[in-house]
């Protein structure tokens, strides 16, 4: 009787927790997204398509995709190299490297943008040299790319490091004993064991790169058609009281985020066994 009562209470608590979680998700996630979509089409679909196909908006979309196409591969290379070094080798300064990888999680993106202005702005440390060589970083695409790389570089490494540490070094050491070089060991042993976690990290990095606002806002200069990414375009349209246009661009940004999330969940759904096996390895 006591066991039946305990099971009943356990089921009740489970359903209460599920209902509470669903209520929070509906309040803070589903309803805001629904409100964005509703506002985006408030004046009809024709107005919506006119808003998202304007020259400034298309330029913002292109720039967002270009920045992500540069920042994500750069962070992919850095994340793989850093994870391999941290998880597979012991060296002086290892703890410092791990701390630096986590730095963008604790530093405000606005501060990181200001740091780049201090370094590359006209009055910055390298500003006079850049001016003399007719090179622009701040208020130009290079500055946006650098700021985006900074705020997104932990994502790939943070997906890989725990998995690589959990897998240990036994297979790599065995490959070395059998005569395999470092690169061959990486591509034939290490990479296959972490490929799905690597893909997850890349998707998360891509989502953050496309949605970054703070650091990009500082270094971009908000130049229409040149240095505005999609988040900055949303801000400009909103400040100009073009609410439908702002929500239309925001809906595109939300759609890109949802596609990225769906891709991440698809990877985990279809390759969950492989991910679990890699963690047990």
């Amino acid at each position: 009787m006591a066991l039946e009562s305990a099971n009943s209470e356990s089921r009740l608590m489970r359903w209460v927790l599920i209902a509470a979680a669903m209520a929070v998700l509906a309040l803070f996630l589903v309803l805001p997204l629904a409100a964005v979509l509703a506002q985006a089409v408030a004046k009809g679909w024709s107005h919506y398509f006119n808003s998202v196909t304007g020259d400034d908006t298309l330029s913002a979309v292109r720039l967002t995709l270009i920045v992500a196409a540069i920042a994500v591969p750069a962070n992919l290379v850095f994340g793989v190299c850093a994870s391999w070094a941290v998880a597979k080798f012991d060296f002086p300064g290892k703890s410092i490297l791990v701390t630096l990888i986590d730095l963008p999680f604790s530093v405000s993106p606005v501060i990181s943008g200001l740091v780049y202005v201090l370094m590359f702005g006209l009055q910055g440390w390298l500003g006079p040299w850049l001016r003399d060589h007719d090179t622009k970083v701040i208020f130009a695409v290079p500055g946006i790319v650098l700021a985006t790389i900074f705020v997104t570089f932990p994502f790939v490494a943070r997906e890989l490091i725990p998995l690589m540490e959990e897998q240990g070094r036994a297979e790599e050491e065995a490959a070395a004993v059998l005569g395999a070089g470092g690169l061959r060991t990486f591509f034939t042993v290490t990479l296959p064991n972490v490929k799905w976690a690597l893909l997850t990290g890349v998707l998360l990095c891509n989502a953050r790169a496309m949605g970054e606002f703070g650091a990009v806002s500082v270094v971009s200069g908000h130049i229409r058609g040149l240095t505005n990414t999609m988040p900055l375009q949303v801000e400009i349209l909103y400040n100009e009281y073009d609410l439908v246009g702002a929500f239309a661009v925001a809906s595109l940004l939300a759609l890109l985020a949802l596609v990225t999330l769906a891709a991440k969940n698809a990877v985990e759904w279809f390759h969950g066994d492989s991910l679990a096996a890699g963690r047990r390895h």
Side-chain angles (χ1 to χ4, degrees):
M1 190 70 178
L3 180 60
E4 182 179 349
S5 176
N7 288 336
S8 177
E9 290 180 0
S10 177
R11 286 194 297 270
L12 176 62
M13 181 57 67
R14 180 176 62 194
W15 286 110
V16 168
L17 291 175
I18 291 174
M22 295 300 293
V24 171
L25 287 175
L27 181 61
F28 293 104
L29 182 62
V30 177
L31 287 179
L33 286 176
V36 168
L37 294 176
Q39 288 294 326
V41 298
K43 293 185 178 181
W45 286 102
S46 61
H47 194 282
Y48 175 86
F49 286 116
N50 289 334
S51 298
V52 299
T53 56
D55 291 340
D56 289 342
T57 298
L58 291 178
S59 176
V61 172
R62 283 194 297 268
L63 181 57
T64 300
L65 296 177
I66 290 171
V67 170
I70 298 173
V72 173
N75 285 324
L76 168 63
V77 174
F78 168 81
V80 170
C81 294
S83 303
W84 196 21
V86 169
K88 305 299 182 179
F89 302 98
D90 294 318
F91 54 90
K94 180 176 178 178
S95 59
I96 297 176
L97 175 59
V98 174
T99 301
L100 292 176
I101 290 173
D102 291 334
L103 187 63
F105 286 143
S106 57
V107 174
S108 168
V110 174
I111 294 176
S112 65
L114 289 174
V115 169
Y116 282 110
V117 172
L118 177 63
M119 293 177 59
F120 301 112
L122 286 178
Q123 307 302 320
W125 299 339
L126 300 177
W129 185 89
L130 293 172
R131 182 189 57 210
D132 293 340
H133 290 79
D134 195 25
T135 301
K136 290 191 66 176
V137 175
I138 302 302
F139 304 156
V141 174
I144 298 173
V145 171
L146 288 174
T148 303
I149 289 175
F150 178 84
V151 299
T152 58
F153 79 77
F155 287 91
V156 174
R158 269 297 152 209
E159 283 291 321
L160 295 181
I161 289 175
L163 180 58
M164 285 186 173
E165 288 180 335
E166 195 172 335
Q167 289 175 347
R169 311 176 186 178
E171 288 193 5
E172 284 81 4
E173 292 172 351
V177 169
L178 293 174
L183 287 177
R184 185 177 180 184
T185 298
F186 173 77
F187 284 108
T188 59
V189 178
T190 305
L191 186 59
N193 288 335
V194 300
K195 58 185 177 182
W196 300 120
L198 176 61
L199 181 57
T200 300
V202 167
L203 291 173
L204 292 174
C205 180
N206 182 69
R208 178 61 191 275
M210 291 189 297
E212 174 56 29
F213 176 82
V216 171
S217 178
V218 174
V219 302
S220 72
H222 296 267
I223 304 173
R224 283 181 178 272
L226 294 177
T227 63
N228 276 343
T229 58
M230 291 175 69
L232 301 185
Q233 182 69 7
V234 172
E235 181 198 29
I236 286 178
L237 293 174
Y238 185 82
N239 289 338
E240 292 177 348
Y241 301 102
D242 184 1
L243 300 185
V244 173
F247 282 112
V249 179
S251 70
L252 281 182
L253 199 56
L255 178 61
L256 290 173
L258 291 175
V259 169
T260 302
L261 179 62
K264 174 180 176 294
N265 288 337
V267 169
E268 294 176 348
W269 177 268
F270 290 109
H271 302 285
D273 294 339
S274 299
L275 289 168
R279 289 186 172 88
R280 290 195 301 267
H281 186 70

